[in-house]
Amino acid sequence: MNQNEDKCPKCGAALSPITETATGRKLQRCSQGSWNPQTHKNEGCDYVKWLEVEPQELDEKCPKCGAPLILQVTRFGKKMKKCSAGSWDKEAKKAIGCDYVEWVNGTSENLEEKCPKCGANLVLYTTANGKKMKKCSTSGWDREAKKATGCEYVLWLKAGQTESDNGEEFLPPEPEE
Ligand SMILES: [Zn+2]
Ligand SMILES: [Zn+2]
Ligand SMILES: [Zn+2]
């Protein structure tokens, strides 16, 4: 048993305070390690402790088995709905129980702001991995012609901390189903 969870299991140094990534995941780094945004490398101890993001039980039922669905956020901030009757067997590397999974795509919300190009309302669009952009409500995507329609105004929003600042995308991936 590890009595003190705030010590790095690799080098024994204290862990840094909890930080939150741009995609809403929480992590603690070893205080002996730091992310260098210039070299895109970890310096010092590379221990990172990911904190569980509590799965949220949804008011929706699994279309396969009728058990409640839960909302889970992966390490890279993608959201998925999955069946609470299913789980992942890490040793056998396979899903057990119900395997229903539904990836959640980006969401958009209407803004009170006007498009500087055409004066229509803007919408705030959040991609499935947590990036945000403002775009014109008249814009759309013509799937058949494979081209954008309407006004092409887009403004990407920079998150307070960008993902590359803490090197989130360079960390070893979680096993994905
Ligand atoms: Zn360490
Ligand atoms: Zn199910
Ligand atoms: Zn516009």
Side-chain angles (χ1 to χ4, degrees):
M1 280 295 282
N2 187 355
Q3 294 281 313
N4 191 344
E5 293 200 358
D6 290 318
K7 288 263 193 296
C8 171
K10 281 193 167 178
C11 71
L15 294 183
S16 297
I18 297 172
T19 52
E20 203 175 312
T21 71
T23 54
R25 307 284 327 252
K26 291 192 171 69
L27 63 92
Q28 273 185 296
R29 280 178 181 278
C30 176
S31 59
Q32 296 303 304
S34 62
W35 177 253
N36 186 330
Q38 262 93 49
T39 60
H40 278 213
K41 282 205 176 79
N42 245 322
E43 292 177 348
C45 180
D46 63 0
Y47 177 74
V48 174
K49 176 179 168 187
W50 288 94
L51 304 172
E52 287 289 320
V53 179
E54 286 282 300
Q56 192 186 330
E57 192 161 317
L58 298 170
D59 202 16
E60 282 176 67
K61 298 273 182 269
C62 172
K64 276 192 164 179
C65 73
L69 292 180
I70 51 176
L71 185 68
Q72 256 194 355
V73 184
T74 71
R75 177 174 289 183
F76 295 101
K78 290 187 97 179
K79 292 192 177 79
M80 62 172 166
K81 292 177 187 180
K82 55 183 268 179
C83 181
S84 59
S87 60
W88 182 251
D89 186 327
K90 284 196 176 157
E91 271 157 45
K93 293 206 164 121
K94 60 174 188 181
I96 45 179
C98 181
D99 62 358
Y100 179 77
V101 170
E102 183 191 329
W103 290 97
V104 179
N105 292 321
T107 54
S108 59
E109 61 188 272
N110 295 318
L111 296 173
E112 296 290 315
E113 285 171 65
K114 300 274 183 255
C115 172
K117 276 196 163 181
C118 72
N121 279 331
L122 292 179
V123 290
L124 179 69
Y125 183 77
T126 307
T127 67
N129 59 13
K131 296 204 165 116
K132 287 181 162 51
M133 61 167 154
K134 287 179 184 178
K135 58 181 206 173
C136 187
S137 58
T138 66
S139 70
W141 182 253
D142 187 326
R143 278 170 194 267
E144 273 168 36
K146 292 209 168 116
K147 58 174 190 180
T149 58
C151 176
E152 78 268 19
Y153 177 77
V154 170
L155 179 71
W156 285 95
L157 302 182
K158 288 214 170 94
Q161 329 145 265
T162 63
E163 283 167 73
S164 55
D165 272 356
N166 57 36
E168 184 185 6
E169 66 268 50
F170 294 92
L171 293 164
E174 261 174 338
E176 292 273 26
E177 282 95 305

